[in-house]
Each structure stands twice: as structure tokens, then as C-alpha cells.
């Protein structure tokens, strides 16, 4: 038996006293000891990776085969022995007596596990596990098993909402309230994940102001004092107090007589049941009320009570929920600390107003498992800060695990993969090392596992080898939250997230990405909402295994450039750029603000929203006393809008809605201030409401009113920003309303342009009538209520013919509505339409003095052959309107923006190459090449304008992003106009002559590929470091190029060469002109520029000469 024991051969050794050799027994007696029974674990093997058997519950629980071998069992007293187990340094379990069978099934969840087993006598206390048999193993899904992660795009699930995080949703309600919304947060005073989120709320929510400048929220923090006297405070308390956040400590104690009455161990359940049955505090017995009174005193008067819910605290939390309800708190929020199986979070039965979860995955998890309470998704945040450029060390790579050393994090997989990767690079020049940032119950088993696998453990608490062979595995231990991020930034190159169990979100990944580090993960649970297979900003390992993880780490170690790209793409994505989610603390605070205000503030319809924004303070009082017309005559736009909004429910018609929209727009003064309203301001809300009011008046109204309302909705959404595709939809509708293809018939010769800009009239209260109309939109060549002159130049007609032929060659077909309109003239294709235009161009050229500048009426060459031209001239035959991108359209990083700003401040202009993303450049050029929007004929070039069909969602996205990327140059200045110019004149044509514009800043971007430019320096832009004299009127400065040229002939100037995707940003008041151009003569080669003009200033004084403006 001893030999078998020495050879560790599985065997149940029972040594009867009567058969024990005398010499061996004597030796034992001399030692004064008896052979002690003990146990060994035969399966799972030490350091094994096992699959287990799925138990079919869907809870990621696997049955692990456990084989035990008993040794030195006595022949008497056998029934007195029992097996004591401890799993993951947590709970203990006793089996027997009698002793269990040798083969058992151990149910475990996926993860890294440490099992301890010891034999004890029935009467012997459990004691410690120093002499226990131990095994460390990783339980992973079997090949082919699905793990919980989102496979594709996140889909809406009933009962799961996501409060918006870009701006306040209920600003008007917050302004109407007499006091701030009071929120009481309950949690721990130790620094953990949930408490840090509470701290960031405390830092940001009190800074949110109402329109009147008052605080919108107040926060209190509640802490239940535990029985241990040394746990009455924590590091969070002084941080909260420094922010003037009250910290309330309460202690609840159940009197002894109630403990005896209810039964020890059942007191919390009984208390919560009694509270749940009560309707009011007065319904409770005095002794029961006394238990919860300290807590009631804390939450009484709060609008919202929010608590962190732990699985093992569900009954205590239920008592808090019922006590808060009895205290009169109208809204209770539960924030589950994690995901668990078998029970629901406290309040998920509908008693809470919402479960606050960090990911859509977590919300869906609870809803699919029976939660009746809605789930509100508020991802945690990080301190964004600037994006720091990361230098990639090509000779070194350090991988790190960041997180708690607990079973569900599967840290063992990281240790095992590290051993394999370290062995692969042990004799190579690449310096590979590993680090573990975190602590937890599995630290000792993991240190010993790393040592057994041949890694050199440093910083260890149980194993430490500061010197010696082997790849380093450094255990850093627990770090302060701020120190964790610093360690990631300064010490790690790649962060490894080895969790194979469901994950709510994993903030460690996001913080690593924010620091520009590559992240390797299995993408489980909420991780898949910001990182999926195939993404360019991180690595998602398909197979949750050591082999799969090792392969990924080897790839990222081998390719330093790929490693750099992963980090460089990750940092902007978590900041809401490049199509990613904004995961900053600022976004998180706004989401919480909208969650809280959404619960407190009742839903408001559009009419109520209009009154909310217009009738603020004194404006509402003025509207009480005076006629809206009288207020309007005195330019009291807010008060006038308030009066009309109040009249609307009883006098609702499209004209009243147009009037209300106009008044709200005028009240914002945006056309005078020339800046886009800031988020969360009364002015921005007014623009959004005005757009919605205009849109609501569109159905069942006349053509002219529909045009006016559509124009208002398009303009206000563009000025408000943030809804580019919605604004583009209205611009496109306006374009089609005003420029439909006409029916091709002889009646076209008498066609008159309909009016699409209806006016509204308003009595002023003293017998007069005021007139208002949609803000002016000059549409090229369209004069309402006059017979159309069908005017064009031969050059313009030739361009249209070339465009139609180009469209036909690319496979574009006429829309069915256009085919129907042209059918009477037997034109059914773009090629046939191109022939009609070419023929008309020749006819007109025969009587024209200059094909580029001499516009003549097609009436002068009247014949049936030109009817297709009359039906389509300056009409929307074909539109390509690209929508906005999920990723960024403007690629200007902080370093480029800083250089551009310095140049602009020095010489009043800057040049930015590669400003547009490849997608934006491609689709904006496609839009301007394909869309039939080139109506404004000039000398050698054609113009297309914002209101004439170029206001696509993508273009408006570019407009907004230039403001965001160049905050010190463009910033909040509103868009005044956007246009495209297409130069189709003869070779070496001069293009636009010297002139100045009335905007504040112009962004001019070139879209045509360089291969079509036939001469170096051709087609660029000349900008003079001078404006026009104060005595020169704007029209002369814009059109009298001879006078302007004479004025600047001695001024310093800058010539900027043409280059595709080069944007020139300059002060609009500076005199500028197009340089001669030599481009290939084909339709696809025309030189096209896109210009965006921001702001309107006193353009004659906008330019201030700079002492260093000599370029």
C-alpha cells in the first residue's frame, strides 16, 4: 500500500490494524502518531482545461467529473469520516458521513476554478485547508458550444430603452420645476466600479443647469452602516464631501423580541413581507417602523432612490425598496451589480421603475429571464481627455490582464496562453512579458499555476522569482482605479480580456482602448456592443479556448504595425468618433440626467413643448396680457410665440403652425447671432420644436404652404444640428416640390413657376396687419408666378447633355415618374435626353454671342424638338443623396487642428490635406458628378447650392464635423451657404475672378482626382492678404472683379495648388480667385470644388491685418 501510495497509483488503501506489519506499527507508535486518513484528487488533473457536460439549463453550468482517491482509511470508525470541499476560496460544502463515492459530478460555471478537498472526522471542526488536496482547472465551452454574445447589430428588445446621451431630453421641464430633481444613491463607500460611477454622477450632475441658470439636480449618498464598527467609512466619503454631496449613514437593527418572534435567520424576509403589505408608514407597528425610520429620514422628499443590487443582498435590498416606497419616493431604480442566474434583481417584478444596466445585452438578459421592470441602458464611462499618440516599441510587447482574480473572469486562460506565447519567443530578440493588474481569491492558485507552467513570477505574494529563466509574469496586485489606467497607459501594449462567461460590459477594455491599446477578447456579453469579430479596433477571438487565445496573442506580438493600428483606431471609437459609441463620463452623466428627468417629467405633446419653450418666465407673463401681434410689432418674439402656441389648440391649421414655427425661429436670433445654439439651451430646443411644428403642418395643405413649411423644417434642423439625415430629407422634399420634371407637351410654352413660399398674416391688435414669410431661399432661375423664360447658355446645355450621357454609361436609368412625364415626347432614356440637349445647345449656339456667358431663351429656337429640354431644364431628373456615415466624415486629428489654427491665426488661412475620409470624398464627388443640380450658369463654370439639391445627409455631416474638428476657426458658427462649382469651360479659363464674400470663414475642398489635372499648379486658389475697402458695397466686392483686382494688386498673396481632398480654410472677407486651370476635357474630369461658408459678420471689418501676414 505504501508503495502504491508513493507511486500515486489510484487506490483506496485501508490498512487493518491486525494485518499491519509489526515493524511499521512499532515505528508509528514510537513517533506517537497514527496514520491519518487523507484524500487525493485524481480528476480533473492539475492545471487541466476541461469542457464538462452542459446541464441543459442554459446557465453556462457544466458538470465536471470529479474522481477522489482515499488513503489510510481506518478499519473502524470509517463511518465517522466526512469530505469537506471549498471552491474558489469561497463557500464550503460537507459530504458525508458516510463518505461519498469515489466518482462524483461537480457543477461549476465556466471560468477558472480552484478546488480544495480534505478529510475530517465527524466531530472535528472544519479548520483551515492547509492539508487539503487541491486542483486548479479551467472550465471552457466545448468546441461548437455557443457562448453568450451578440452575433450582429444590437436589435431593439421590448422593455429595453437607452436614454439619449448627447443632450437633455426634458430641459423645458427642468426649467419649470421649482426645485432640482433630488436623487439619493445608495451604495458602498469603498472604491469599486459602482461607487466610482456614483462619484462621477456627483461630479457632473450638479453642474447641469436649467435654462434659467439654476441647478437641475441634487444628489445625496446613503450608506448602510454594517455591524462591523471598522466599516463605517471608506475612501469615497471624503471625495463626495469635497463635492458638497451629503453622505447619510443609517443603521437598522431589529429588536431582540422581533428576532425571537420571527425566528433567527428569517428576520429580513419577514420584515420585507410586512413592509410590502403596508400601504402607509402609519400602517406599521411602532417597533417595525422604528427599524426603518433612519432610512426613511434619509430618502424622504427624494424624487428618485437608486441602489446597487447584489445577488446575495437581495432580501436586504427588498427591505430598502419597500421602505423607500412607504417613504413616498415616487421612483426607485435598481442597478444590478452583475448578471446571475436563478433569481431576478430586486424590483424586477415591476416594483422598481427601471433596472439600470450597462449594456443592451444585460437588459435583454434580464427581460428574457422574466423581468417585468423595463431596463434602461446606461453604459459606464471613462475620463475621456485628449487622445495621446502611442509610440509602438517594435522590440518589446507586454500583455496584461486587468481585473479581479475571480472565477468568472477566467484569468487562468490568460496564464496558460502567456506560458505558450512566452515559450514561443524565449529564444528570439522580441522581449515578451506579461502582467496581472488586480487581486482576488484566486491570486495564490494563479501565482502557483504560472510557476508550474514555467513563467517567472515577479511581484508575487506566494511565489516570487525576481531573477532566473523564463518569461516574466508580474503580479501587480490591487491598484487604485486611477492607478490602473496609468499602469495600462505606461506599462502595457496589449490588454487581454479572457472572460468566457457572460459579461455585462467590461470597463477595463474601454479604458484600455481609450489609451490607444490593442484589446484581445472573446467578445462575450456586453463587450460585443463595442467590439465584434472583424472590427479594426480590436481582436475578438472566435473560439473560447487557450489555443484560440494563444494564436491571437502570437499574431499581435508578431506584427507591431497592426498592434499600433488597433490602438490608434480604438482610442477615437470609444470617444464616439469613427462610428463608435461615446463612452465618456460626460455622456454617461447626460444619460443619467435624461433617465431621471424622464421618470419625473410627464410626457408632453408637441403643442405643450412649444408652450414650454416659448412661455418661460416673463415671456409667459407678457403673453398673458397682450395680443401676439402687438408683441411681434415690438419684436417680442418669445412672448409672441407663447401667445400663438396657446392659441394653437383652438385654432389649429397649417398657417398657424407656420406662424408659430417662424416666431420660434426668430426668437432664437440665430440669423443675427450667426452661431449654432449650444446643446441643452432654450434656443436649440426652440429650433427643434419649430422644425417639428412646421413638419406637423405638412399634411393636407396647399402647395405653397407645403413648400414654406418644408423650407422651415429643413432650415431649422440644419441650424440646430444633430439631425443631418432628417434635415436632408426635408431639403430633398423641398427640392422635388420646387423642381419636378414637367409633363412634356406644347403647353410648356405657357408654363408659369408656382409659388412655394406662402406668407402668413397677423393682426397687430391695433387695426394693422403684419406679414411674415419663410426665411429667404433664392432658388436659381425660378421666379414664382411668372411665365418661365427657359433661359440657358449653350455651354450649360452641353454640360447637361454630357451629364446625361455619363449617367447612361454608368447604368443609371430614368425614374418611372420622369419616364411618364417625358413619354408624350417619345423620350424614354437618358441617352435620348442627352441627344435632345445636344441638339438644343447647337440651336442656341447659332444665335448666341458667347456660349459660356450669353444666356438666351429657348423660346428663340422654339420647336417640338426642344420640348424634352423645357420639361427637364433646371429640374431634378436624377438625384444622388448619400446619407450620413456611422463613422467620421472629416478626418482632422488634434495635432492637425492645432497646426491649422496656428496658421489661421498667423496668415488668416490654413491648408489641410486628406481632410475628408475616403468614403466621404467618394460619395460627395459621386453626388456632385451625378446629381442634375447645376443650374447657375457663370463664366466657364456652373453653380449648385444648398437649397438647390446638394443638402445630402453626408454633406450636412461634413458641415457639422468641420465645426467640431476646427473649434477655434469654425466652431459654432452656423452654416450660411454651401455650394459646388464645376468648371467646364475651355482650357486655361480663368474661373472665378477676384472677389470677397460676406461670410466669416470659408472651407473650400477640391474633389477631382489629380490625374485629370494636366499641369502642375493648375486650378488652385489665390488668396490675397487683404480685404476690399470700407467704401466698396458688397455686391461690387463680389462682382466687380476689375475694381477688386486693382485694390489688391500690391497686396501679399498665397497661391494654393489644387490637390484632390485638399481643403483650404480662410477668412471669407479676404479677396480670392481661381487660378487658371488645365484639366482633361471629359465629363468625369471636370474640376469640382465644394465650398462651405460659415457665419456672417461685418465683412468689411472682419479682416484685421496681421503683422506676420506675408505668407
Amino acid at each position: 500500500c505504501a508503495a502504491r501510495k508513493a507511486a500515486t497509483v489510484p487506490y483506496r488503501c485501508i490498512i487493518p490494524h491486525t494485518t499491519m506489519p509489526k515493524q511499521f506499527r512499532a515505528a508509528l507508535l514510537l513517533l506517537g502518531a497514527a496514520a491519518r486518513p487523507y484524500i487525493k484528487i485524481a480528476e480533473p488533473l492539475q492545471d487541466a482545461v476541461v469542457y464538462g457536460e452542459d446541464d441543459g439549463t442554459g446557465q453556462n453550468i457544466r458538470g465536471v467529473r470529479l474522481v477522489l482517491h482515499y488513503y489510510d482509511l481506518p478499519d473502524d470508525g470509517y463511518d465517522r469520516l466526512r469530505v469537506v470541499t471549498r471552491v474558489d476560496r469561497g463557500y464550503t460544502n460537507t459530504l458525508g458521513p458516510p463518505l461519498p463515492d469515489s466518482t462524483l459530478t461537480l457543477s461549476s460555471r465556466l471560468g477558472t476554478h480552484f478546488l480544495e478537498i480534505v478529510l475530517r472526522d465527524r466531530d472535528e471542526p472544519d479548520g483551515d485547508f492547509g492539508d487539503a488536496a487541491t486542483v486548479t482547472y479551467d472550465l471552457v465551452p466545448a468546441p461548437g458550444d455557443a457562448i453568450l454574445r451578440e452575433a450582429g447589430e444590437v436589435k431593439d428588445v421590448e422593455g429595453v430603452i437607452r436614454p439619449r446621451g448627447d443632450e437633455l431630453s426634458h430641459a423645458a421641464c427642468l426649467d419649470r420645476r421649482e426645485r432640482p430633481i433630488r436623487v439619493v444613491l445608495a451604495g458602498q463607500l469603498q472604491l469599486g466600479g459602482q461607487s466610482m460611477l456614483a462619484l462621477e454622477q456627483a461630479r457632473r450632475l450638479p453642474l447641469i443647469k436649467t435654462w434659467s441658470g439654476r441647478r437641475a439636480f441634487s444628489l445625496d449618498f446613503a450608506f448602510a452602516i454594517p455591524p462591523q464598527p471598522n466599516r463605517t467609512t471608506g475612501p469615497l466619503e471624503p471625495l463626495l464631501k469635497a463635492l458638497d454631496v451629503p453622505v447619510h449613514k443609517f443603521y437598522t437593527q431589529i429588536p431582540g423580541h422581533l428576532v425571537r418572534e420571527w425566528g433567527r435567520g428569517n428576520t429580513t424576509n419577514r420584515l420585507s413581507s410586512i413592509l410590502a403589505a403596508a400601504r402607509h408608514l402609519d400602517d406599521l407597528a411602532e417597533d417595525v417602523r422604528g427599524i426603518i425610520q433612519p432610512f426613511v429620514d434619509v430618502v424622504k422628499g427624494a424624487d428618485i432612490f437608486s441602489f446597487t443590487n447584489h445577488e446575495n443582498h437581495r432580501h436586504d435590498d427588498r427591505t430598502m425598496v419597500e421602505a423607500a416606497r412607504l417613504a413616498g419616493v415616487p421612483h426607485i431604480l435598481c442597478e444590478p451589480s452583475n448578471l446571475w442566474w436563478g433569481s431576478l434583481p430586486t424590483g424586477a417584478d415591476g416594483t422598481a421603475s427601471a433596472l439600470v444596466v450597462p449594456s443592451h445585452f444585460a437588459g435583454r438578459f434580464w427581460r428574457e429571464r422574466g423581468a417585468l421592470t423595463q431596463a434602461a441602458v446606461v453604459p459606464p464611462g471613462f475620463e475621456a481627455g485628449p487622445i495621446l499618440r502611442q509610440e509602438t516599441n517594435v522590440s518589446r510587447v507586454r500583455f496584461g490582464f486587468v481585473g479581479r482574480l475571480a472565477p468568472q473572469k477566467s484569468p487562468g486562460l490568460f496564464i496558460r496562453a502567456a506560458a505558450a506565447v512566452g515559450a514561443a519567443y524565449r529564444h528570439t530578440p522580441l522581449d515578451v512579458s506579461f502582467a496581472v493588474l488586480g487581486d482576488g481569491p484566486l491570486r495564490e492558485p494563479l501565482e502557483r499555476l504560472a510557476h508550474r507552467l514555467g513563467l517567472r513570477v515577479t511581484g508575487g505574494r506566494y511565489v516570487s522569482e525576481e531573477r532566473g529563466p523564463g518569461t516574466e509574469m508580474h503580479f501587480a496586485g490591487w491598484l487604485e482605479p486611477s492607478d490602473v489606467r496609468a499602469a495600462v497607459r505606461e506599462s502595457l501594449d496589449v490588454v487581454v480580456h479572457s472572460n468566457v462567461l457572460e459579461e455585462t460590459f467590461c470597463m477595463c477594455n474601454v479604458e484600455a482602448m481609450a489609451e490607444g491599446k490593442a484589446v484581445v477578447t472573446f467578445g462575450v456579453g456586453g463587450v460585443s456592443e463595442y467590439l465584434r469579430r472583424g472590427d479594426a479596433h480590436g481582436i475578438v477571438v472566435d473560439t473560447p479556448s487557450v489555443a484560440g487565445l494563444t494564436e491571437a496573442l502570437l499574431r499581435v506580438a508578431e506584427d507591431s504595425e497592426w498592434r499600433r493600428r488597433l490602438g490608434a483606431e480604438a482610442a477615437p471609437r470609444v470617444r464616439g468618433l469613427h462610428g463608435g459609441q461615446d463612452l465618456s463620463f460626460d455622456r454617461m452623466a447626460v444619460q443619467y440626467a435624461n433617465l431621471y428627468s424622464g421618470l419625473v417629467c410627464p410626457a408632453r405633446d408637441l403643442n405643450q413643448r412649444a408652450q414650454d419653450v416659448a412661455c418661460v418666465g416673463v415671456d409667459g407673463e407678457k403673453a398673458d396680457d397682450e395680443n401676439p401681434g402687438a408683441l411681434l410689432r415690438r419684436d417680442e418674439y418669445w412672448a409672441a410665440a407663447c401667445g400663438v402656441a396657446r392659441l394653437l389648440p383652438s385654432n389649429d391649421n397649417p398657417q398657424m403652425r407656420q406662424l408659430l414655427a417662424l416666431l420660434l425661429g426668430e426668437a432664437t436670433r440665430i440669423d443675427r447671432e450667426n452661431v449654432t445654439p449650444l446643446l441643452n439651451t432654450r434656443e436649440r430646443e426652440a429650433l427643434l420644436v419649430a422644425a417639428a411644428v412646421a413638419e406637423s403642418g405638412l399634411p393636407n395643405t396647399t402647395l405653397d404652404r407645403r413648400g414654406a413649411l418644408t423650407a422651415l423644417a429643413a432650415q431649422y434642423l440644419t441650424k440646430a444640428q444633430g439631425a443631418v439625415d432628417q434635415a436632408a430629407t426635408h431639403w430633398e422634399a423641398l427640392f422635388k416640390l420646387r423642381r419636378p420634371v414637367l409633363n412634356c407637351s406644347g403647353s410648356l410654352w405657357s408654363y408659369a413657376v408656382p409659388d412655394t413660399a406662402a406668407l402668413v398674416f397677423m393682426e397687430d391688435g391695433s387695426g394693422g396687419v403684419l406679414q411674415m414669410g419663410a426665411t429667404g431661399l433664392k432658388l436659381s432661375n425660378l421666379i414664382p408666378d411668372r411665365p418661365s423664360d427657359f433661359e440657358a447658355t449653350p455651354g450649360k446645355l452641353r454640360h447637361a447633355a454630357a451629364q446625361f450621357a455619363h449617367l447612361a454609361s454608368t447604368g443609371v436609368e430614368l425614374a418611372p415618374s420622369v419616364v411618364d412625364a417625358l413619354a408624350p415626347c417619345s423620350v424614354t432614356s437618358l441617352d435620348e435626353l442627352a441627344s435632345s440637349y445636344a441638339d438644343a445647345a447647337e440651336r442656341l449656339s447659332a444665335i448666341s454671342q458667347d456660349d459660356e456667358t450669353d444666356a438666351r431663351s429657348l423660346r428663340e429656337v422654339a420647336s417640338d424638338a426642344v420640348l424634352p429640354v423645357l420639361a427637364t431644364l433646371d429640374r431634378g431628373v436624377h438625384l444622388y443623396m448619400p446619407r450620413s456615415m456611422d463613422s467620421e466624415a472629416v478626418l482632422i486629428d488634434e495635432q492637425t487642428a492645432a497646426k491649422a489654427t496656428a496658421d489661421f491665426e498667423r496668415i488668416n488661412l490654413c491648408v489641410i490635406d486628406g481632410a475628408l475620409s475616403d468614403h466621404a470624398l467618394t460619395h460627395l464627388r459621386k453626388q456632385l458628378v451625378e446629381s442634375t443640380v447645376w443650374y447657375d450658369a457663370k463664366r466657364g463654370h456652373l453653380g449648385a447650392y444648398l437649397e438647390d439639391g446638394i443638402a445630402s445627409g453626408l454633406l450636412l455631416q461634413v458641415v457639422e464635423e468641420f465645426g467640431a474638428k476646427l473649434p477655434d476657426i469654425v466652431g459654432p458658427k452656423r452654416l450660411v451657404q454651401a455650394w459646388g462649382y464645376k468648371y467646364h469651360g475651355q482650357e486655361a479659363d480663368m474661373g472665378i475672378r477676384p472677389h470677397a464674400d460676406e461670410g466669416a470663414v470659408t472651407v473650400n475642398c477640391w474633389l477631382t482626382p489629380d490625374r485629370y489635372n494636366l499641369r502642375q499648379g493648375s486650378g488652385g486658389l489665390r488668396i490675397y492678404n487683404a480685404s476690399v475697402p470700407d467704401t466698396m458695397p458688397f455686391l461690387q466686392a463680389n462682382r466687380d472683379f476689375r475694381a477688386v483686382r486693382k485694390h489688391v494688386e500690391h497686396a501679399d498673396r498665397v497661391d494654393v495648388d489644387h490637390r484632390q481632398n485638399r481643403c483650404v480654410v480662410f477668412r471669407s472677407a479676404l479677396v480670392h480667385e481661381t487660378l487658371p486651370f488645365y484639366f482633361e476635357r471629359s465629363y468625369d474630369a471636370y474640376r469640382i470644388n465644394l465650398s462651405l461658408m460659415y457665419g456672417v459678420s461685418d465683412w468689411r471689418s472682419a479682416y484685421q491685418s496681421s503683422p506676420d501676414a506675408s505668407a
Side-chain angles (χ1 to χ4, degrees), residues 534-856:
D535 283 346
H537 56 280
I539 302 172
V540 174
V541 181
D542 282 340
T543 305
S545 64
V546 176
L549 186 58
T550 301
E551 180 185 6
L553 299 190
L554 288 171
R555 287 171 55 211
V556 77
E558 194 69 28
D559 193 338
S560 60
E561 175 57 23
W562 185 41
R563 194 164 67 241
R564 183 199 66 78
R565 290 199 310 270
L566 289 170
E569 181 64 23
R573 283 191 67 88
V574 295
R575 289 170 168 83
L577 307 175
H578 295 191
Q581 290 188 55
D582 178 2
L583 297 175
S584 66
F585 279 137
D586 290 336
R587 180 273 319 153
M588 182 192 77
V590 173
Q591 278 197 276
Y592 271 113
N594 285 332
L595 172 61
Y596 298 151
S597 59
L599 293 173
V600 173
C601 296
R604 307 283 281 178
D605 62 26
L606 183 56
N607 289 350
Q608 291 170 327
R609 285 181 63 198
Q611 293 182 50
D612 290 343
V613 74
C615 305
V616 175
V618 68
D619 295 315
E621 297 172 6
K622 291 177 181 178
D624 289 336
D625 301 328
E626 293 191 66
N627 179 286
L631 293 167
L632 178 58
R633 187 171 288 282
R634 298 203 311 271
D635 293 341
E636 298 274 5
Y637 291 107
W638 285 118
C642 176
V644 173
R646 289 173 176 173
L647 291 172
L648 193 60
S650 60
N651 190 18
D652 192 356
N653 59 67
Q655 179 172 333
M656 284 290 286
R657 290 189 174 271
Q658 182 181 347
L659 176 60
L660 178 56
L662 283 165
L663 290 172
L664 287 171
E666 288 296 323
T668 66
R669 296 182 58 84
I670 187 170
D671 291 323
R672 291 178 287 281
E673 300 293 342
N674 291 308
V675 294
T676 298
L678 298 176
L679 294 177
N680 306 325
T681 58
R682 183 186 186 188
E683 287 74 16
R684 185 165 190 277
E685 174 71 2
L687 287 178
L688 295 175
V689 171
V693 167
E695 185 176 347
S696 68
L698 289 173
N700 304 318
T701 189
T702 58
L703 175 66
D704 59 342
R705 193 74 62 194
R706 191 158 67 250
L709 290 167
T710 305
L712 287 173
Q715 291 179 88
Y716 289 154
L717 287 172
T718 301
K719 292 171 182 177
Q721 297 195 355
V724 292
D725 287 320
Q726 186 181 355
T729 298
H730 287 297
W731 283 116
E732 185 175 354
L734 180 65
F735 174 80
K736 292 179 177 178
L737 194 67
R738 293 179 168 179
R739 295 190 180 276
V741 173
L742 306 175
N743 287 324
C744 191
S745 69
S747 62
L748 286 171
W749 297 114
S750 59
Y751 173 78
V753 177
D755 184 7
T756 55
L759 301 175
V760 291
F761 303 93
M762 187 177 189
E763 295 181 358
D764 65 1
S766 59
V769 176
L770 301 173
Q771 171 184 302
M772 294 184 72
T775 51
L777 288 177
K778 175 186 173 296
L779 289 165
S780 307
N781 306 328
L782 288 185
I783 303 175
D785 296 328
R786 252 181 51 179
S788 177
D789 54 14
F790 298 111
E791 194 175 74
T793 64
K796 176 178 173 178
L797 296 180
R798 290 193 183 99
H799 164 270
Q803 184 175 31
F804 293 138
H806 171 79
L807 291 173
S809 69
T810 59
V812 175
E813 297 181 353
L814 290 173
S817 60
V818 177
V819 172
D820 291 342
L822 297 180
C825 294
S826 300
V827 172
T828 60
S829 69
L830 283 164
D831 281 326
E832 292 172 341
L833 190 58
S835 298
S836 297
Y837 269 79
D839 177 68
E842 295 307 314
R843 291 169 182 263
L844 208 58
S845 179
I847 61 172
S848 175
Q849 297 181 7
D850 186 315
D851 281 2
E852 300 300 332
T853 61
D854 188 12
R856 308 294 289 265

Side-chain angles (χ1 to χ4, degrees), residues 175-192:
D175 195 72
R176 289 197 316 272
R177 287 178 56 85
E178 296 180 356
R179 63 176 179 83
I181 293 177
R182 180 173 176 242
V183 181
V184 177
L185 305 176
Q188 299 296 315
L189 290 173
Q190 303 302 313
L191 289 181

